[in-house]
Amino acid sequence: MRKLKIIGFILLMGMLVFGIIFLIPVEYDVKPFKMRKGTQYWQLEKGVKIGYTKVEANTSEKKEPIIYLHGGPGGKITNRIIEVLTPLRTQGHDLYFYDQIGSAHSTRLENIAQYSVKRHREDLRKIVRLIGADKVTLIGHSWGACLAINYLQEYPETVNKIVLTGPGPILPINRSIANEVPPDHLNLKEPEFSNKEGNEKIYTWRSRTIFRWAYLFNSKLVTDNEVDNFFTCLNKELNKSTNCHIENQEAYESGGGYYSHIMTVKSFNQVENKRNKLKKLHTAILILRGQCDNQKWGYTKEYTELFSNTQLKIIEGAGHDILNKKEKVYYNLVRDFLEEK
């Protein structure tokens, strides 16, 4: 009887400690998300909105629209990418920059199990239909490149061209190629700071428990607001690895969606392997990779071997964040590629 009381007391104290830790929100020193002026919304389904910014072509003759796919998963559209790509309107392209479900201006889902590669892909398909385009050009950065290729394998007839910047791996990930060594003539380099260092600095017992709870039980242990603020702190640190040198790091703005990030990454292994289908496509693809990109070279190489119509450009002095100090080089390469017949 005494042992049962002791066990009961220990369990009660454990529950109290757990409750104190997870019922009291943690405050993070981050600036609140700033809504972008002029943001519009697509209603994809009841209660679900996707926030976007549209830049209209200023020419009489219209070409296919361009849709930009941000990184992450759980990332967001930045003012900088809009500013850099806006001049493409002079080529006759309408440009669409949208925040993927679960981040920035878009709806956070209560059922986080709904965040997946398939969900993002089908959201993109709905968006293509909403803008009334027969064909679009996709520009995808990092995870956005993974999404672009996943969309291409299902709806190739709707894609004109694709630009991939700092591309993540083709899904599902072929990890056997991760450690392939790049050829010497590319002169690729490792960034000064690694993601591993950033994760070790920011993650705590609490944040790791929140992550595992979501991953294992498909549910939220704490609010979206708290985890999104944590995600901002994490990305501020990880952002150091997106440049060749730490001192080149730029400020990281809030707005990312952490639950969207966790669950979408979890779904990577659920993606059907359709590399044989992709290999038969002749879609024109431009791959831009920074000299110090922290993505594995083997994953970039797979794009060049799988697709027959690719161009690979290495941007000297750039990291995963190619736009940092290389905006003109980036823009000129994209512009010239889109002008090619």
Side-chain angles (χ1 to χ4, degrees), residues 45-57:
E45 59 194 67
K46 185 177 180 181
V48 175
K49 293 182 179 180
I50 296 292
Y52 71 97
T53 296
K54 179 182 179 181
V55 177
E56 291 195 27

Side-chain angles (χ1 to χ4, degrees), residues 20-260:
I20 290 171
I21 291 175
F22 290 102
L23 293 180
I24 301 175
V26 170
E27 298 291 333
Y28 293 94
D29 184 20
V30 299
K31 294 181 180 179
F33 174 61
K34 187 177 181 180
M35 303 288 284
R36 182 176 298 111
K37 185 178 180 181
T39 298
Q40 302 179 66
Y41 293 90
W42 289 304
Q43 185 90 36
L44 295 192
E45 59 194 67
K46 185 177 180 181
V48 175
K49 293 182 179 180
I50 296 292
Y52 71 97
T53 296
K54 179 182 179 181
V55 177
E56 291 195 27
N58 58 4
T59 59
S60 56
E61 182 181 352
K62 288 284 191 81
K63 297 181 181 178
E64 82 282 356
I66 295 172
I67 299 178
Y68 184 86
L69 306 174
H70 63 66
K76 61 190 180 299
I77 294 297
T78 63
N79 292 331
R80 184 172 61 166
I81 190 61
I82 296 174
E83 292 167 0
V84 171
L85 292 180
T86 286
L88 292 176
R89 68 192 304 190
T90 62
Q91 289 187 341
H93 301 282
D94 288 338
L95 294 100
Y96 293 89
F97 303 87
Y98 78 94
D99 294 310
Q100 295 158 26
I101 191 71
S103 66
H105 298 86
S106 297
T107 301
R108 266 65 171 176
L109 299 174
E110 283 306 310
N111 180 4
I112 64 173
Q114 293 179 7
Y115 293 125
S116 66
V117 175
K118 181 178 179 180
R119 170 65 187 248
H120 290 297
R121 183 189 71 223
E122 295 309 310
D123 282 355
L124 176 55
R125 180 58 182 141
K126 291 176 183 178
I127 288 167
V128 172
R129 287 172 172 155
L130 283 170
I131 65 178
D134 294 326
K135 282 183 175 287
V136 296
T137 284
L138 300 175
I139 301 179
H141 173 65
S142 193
W143 140 253
C146 308
L147 176 56
I149 297 304
N150 188 257
Y151 178 86
L152 176 68
Q153 75 180 29
E154 299 299 329
Y155 307 108
E157 71 283 355
T158 68
V159 180
N160 183 41
K161 292 183 175 183
I162 294 180
V163 178
L164 308 177
T165 67
I170 295 171
L171 302 177
I173 301 173
N174 177 8
R175 300 190 184 279
S176 68
I177 62 176
N179 294 321
E180 291 198 17
V181 179
D184 291 339
H185 73 271
L186 293 180
N187 195 28
L188 300 186
K189 300 178 180 180
E190 293 290 332
E192 288 181 346
F193 192 81
S194 70
N195 281 347
K196 181 180 179 182
E197 292 173 273
N199 285 321
E200 289 176 347
K201 180 177 179 179
I202 299 300
Y203 270 100
T204 64
W205 185 83
R206 176 187 175 89
S207 56
R208 292 185 187 280
T209 301
I210 292 169
F211 173 90
R212 295 307 300 174
W213 186 277
Y215 197 91
L216 293 173
F217 302 114
N218 298 332
S219 64
K220 303 176 183 180
L221 191 56
V222 299
T223 65
D224 281 283
N225 182 65
E226 180 182 333
V227 295
D228 289 354
N229 286 338
F230 163 77
F231 199 35
T232 298
C233 290
L234 175 64
N235 282 316
K236 280 182 179 179
E237 200 65 26
L238 297 181
N239 201 35
K240 294 178 181 178
S241 69
T242 65
N243 301 283
C244 291
H245 306 289
I246 295 176
E247 62 265 24
N248 293 336
Q249 180 189 11
E250 295 188 342
Y252 190 88
E253 299 174 357
S254 59
Y258 189 51
Y259 284 129
S260 178

